[in-house]
Amino acid sequence: MSQTDQQPEPTISATDIASAEKLIALTLTEAERDQLLETVNARAHHYEQIRAMPLANDVPPALSFDPRSAAERSPARDMPRIVHIGPQPTVTRPANLEDAAFYPLTQLAELVRTRQVTSRELTAMYLSRLKRYDTYLHCVVTYTEDLAFRQADRADAEIAAGHYRGALQGIPWGAKD
C-alpha cells in the first residue's frame, strides 16, 4: 500500500469519545464506541482537508450546485453570481394583517416598500403570534421586543424619508438563541 493510500493516524481516541459521551449525557458500549471511532476519525480527516483549502473572504457563498467540471461549464449558460429580484406583482394589504403571516418575503417587502404596512405593524403581528403559539411550540427563549420595535421604527422612518434599501429592510426576523 502506498503512503497516499494509507488512512491517516487517528486523531480522536476512544477516550475522547467517552469524554464526549459525558458532555451529551450519552452512554455507548465499547463496540459502539469502536464503530463510531472509525467514522469520526475519517470525517475529522475530511474536515482538515476542507479547511486546508485557501478561500479568500471575498468569495461569495455558493447559491447553486453544479456538478459539472469547470471545463464542461459554459459561462453563457451558467447562473449569474448576483441574484436580482425583479418587479413584484401587485400586492395589497389583507383586511386582517395575520393573513400575511405566511406571505413570501418578496410580498412582505412589497407591502413595506409601498407603505401599505409598516415594519412596526409587522413586528407587532409576528410578536403577537409568537406569544400566542409559543405555549404550544416552545420555540422562543428570549423576546427582544424593545429592540425589535426600535429597529422597526428606524426602518419605517428611513422608508418614509425615501431611503428604501431593499427587500429585507423593515422585515422582522428571529434568531435562534
Side-chain angles (χ1 to χ4, degrees):
M1 194 178 337
S2 74
Q3 182 77 349
T4 57
D5 292 336
Q6 292 177 342
Q7 286 292 329
E9 285 294 317
T11 55
I12 299 169
S13 69
T15 305
D16 296 328
I17 299 285
S19 295
E21 289 175 51
K22 289 179 190 174
L23 289 174
I24 59 173
L26 183 66
T27 304
L28 299 176
T29 66
E30 200 64 40
E32 290 170 329
R33 211 172 282 129
D34 289 341
Q35 184 180 10
L36 182 62
L37 193 58
E38 183 179 331
T39 303
V40 168
N41 276 303
R43 288 192 181 151
H45 176 69
H46 291 270
Y47 294 145
E48 288 170 11
Q49 289 177 323
I50 290 169
R51 289 186 196 106
M53 298 176 87
L55 186 63
N57 278 340
D58 64 344
V59 175
L63 296 177
S64 65
F65 172 71
D66 189 345
R68 298 173 298 164
S69 70
E72 295 173 312
R73 292 187 202 138
S74 164
R77 289 183 299 171
D78 287 343
M79 284 182 46
R81 297 290 287 180
I82 299 171
V83 176
H84 296 281
I85 297 175
Q88 295 300 305
T90 303
V91 180
T92 56
R93 178 190 176 122
N96 178 0
L97 189 54
E98 282 220 19
D99 292 341
F102 293 102
Y103 277 16
L105 170 70
T106 52
Q107 290 180 349
L108 291 173
E110 188 64 10
L111 289 173
V112 170
R113 185 189 70 80
T114 58
R115 294 195 241 167
Q116 295 178 60
V117 174
T118 65
S119 179
R120 179 174 262 280
E121 289 175 303
L122 280 180
T123 301
M125 182 264 292
Y126 283 118
L127 282 168
S128 171
R129 289 178 56 84
L130 277 173
K131 289 178 181 177
R132 185 173 346 128
Y133 294 115
D134 192 49
T135 58
Y136 306 103
L137 300 175
H138 306 290
C139 60
V140 179
V141 174
T142 307
Y143 290 94
T144 57
E145 290 179 75
D146 294 338
L147 175 62
F149 283 124
R150 280 196 309 272
Q151 291 174 341
D153 290 341
R154 185 175 66 221
D156 288 336
E158 288 176 0
I159 294 167
H163 301 291
Y164 182 70
R165 294 193 262 167
L168 295 177
Q169 186 180 14
I171 303 298
W173 60 277
K176 184 175 177 167
D177 286 17

